[in-house]
Amino acid sequence: MHAGLSEKRPALVNQRGPILLHDNARPHVARMTVQKLTELGYETLPHPPYSPDLSLTDYHLFKHLSTFLDGKTFRSKQEVETFKDFVTLQPLTFYQHGINNLVVRWERCIAAQGSNFD
């Protein structure tokens, strides 16, 4: 994955430290948080006020989880453990695809000037 990212998006690999993409929730943009992230050497990507296009859970995880849970009825706490089945049964590539697709979606969001595109 690192080699592919190095080839396709070298600017993301040649950074000094981690790159963080999170929403603009108050705790994420609070002065103390921003100072700490700066101190730790994290780069924070710009994020529109709310964009389901960039929320990994909105565009990837929940879409597939909804399909997995379709038609299921839970009558006990033990049956709710089905969620764990969903998480553990997904191959590593499922999560890699969602994370790797985030770079492309972020670029599309920036090009759309923060407007939703899906």
Side-chain angles (χ1 to χ4, degrees):
M1 184 168 84
H2 182 77
L5 190 58
S6 296
E7 182 179 314
K8 293 180 181 179
R9 307 264 189 259
L12 294 179
V13 175
N14 296 329
Q15 302 294 319
R16 294 175 305 178
I19 299 173
L20 178 65
L21 174 65
H22 59 192
D23 61 19
N24 293 319
R26 269 185 215 259
H28 299 164
V29 297
R31 184 175 45 215
M32 186 179 351
T33 302
V34 172
Q35 287 173 341
K36 187 63 174 179
L37 291 173
T38 301
E39 176 186 317
L40 293 171
Y42 280 52
E43 177 182 353
T44 303
L45 296 175
H47 195 289
Y50 174 75
S51 177
D53 298 317
L54 295 180
S55 173
L56 186 59
T57 53
D58 286 350
Y59 82 79
H60 187 69
L61 181 68
F62 289 156
K63 178 174 70 173
H64 295 283
L65 179 60
S66 177
T67 302
F68 178 79
L69 295 176
D70 191 36
K72 291 183 174 62
T73 303
F74 303 109
R75 294 183 181 89
S76 69
K77 185 176 178 180
Q78 186 176 9
E79 289 179 352
V80 174
E81 298 292 317
T82 301
F83 175 74
K84 287 182 183 176
D85 293 340
F86 172 79
V87 172
T88 58
L89 291 174
Q90 299 308 312
L92 181 60
T93 55
F94 171 80
Y95 298 103
Q96 289 173 333
H97 173 72
I99 292 168
N100 291 337
N101 196 21
L102 182 58
V103 174
V104 174
R105 296 179 74 83
W106 180 77
E107 289 172 343
R108 287 176 63 193
C109 188
I110 296 302
Q113 298 179 342
S115 299
N116 289 355
F117 55 82
D118 276 348

